[in-house]
Amino acid sequence: MQRPRVLFLCTGNACRSQMAEGWLRHFAGDQVEALSAGTKPAGLNPLAVRVMAEAGVDISQQSSDPVDLFLADPPDLVVAVCSSAARDCPVLPAKVAVESWP
């Protein structure tokens, strides 16, 4: 059985979505594939890396990716962590659940 794929989406894919990806990976382990992307990727914010490291979660090897990378093989769930990303989220297949958690 394939594990579910969850994509956290924000505008820059620099902080919020990166941190959410790290937390899900930390708490769910191998049960879920945690991903993140941005509508306008701006690079991983070093302050997000530092804060997460202080909490015991390493996100330093994560990358800031465009959401377009996930359109050909879409995740099972997309969680937009900012209203701008929710508004700019590309059209996904009907089977993909999309949540907005600004």
Side-chain angles (χ1 to χ4, degrees):
M1 186 169 154
Q2 189 172 340
R3 60 189 176 151
R5 298 172 69 223
V6 177
L7 173 69
F8 293 97
L9 180 66
C10 70
T11 303
N13 190 217
C15 285
R16 289 170 285 190
S17 56
Q18 294 284 352
M19 294 170 82
E21 176 187 353
W23 280 120
L24 182 58
R25 186 173 290 115
H26 177 77
F27 286 117
D30 291 337
Q31 300 298 311
V32 175
E33 183 178 355
L35 309 162
S36 67
T39 56
K40 298 175 186 166
L44 182 58
N45 187 313
L47 293 177
V49 174
R50 189 173 87 203
V51 167
M52 292 297 284
E54 289 172 2
V57 180
D58 181 11
I59 65 169
S60 64
Q61 299 306 304
Q62 292 178 192
S63 58
S64 182
D65 300 316
V67 69
D68 297 348
L69 288 180
F70 300 97
L71 296 181
D73 183 20
D76 301 293
L77 172 64
V78 173
V79 178
V81 295
C82 71
S83 55
S84 175
R87 183 183 62 245
D88 297 336
C89 184
V91 174
L92 298 162
K95 69 176 185 164
V96 178
V98 179
E99 296 281 331
S100 181
W101 299 354

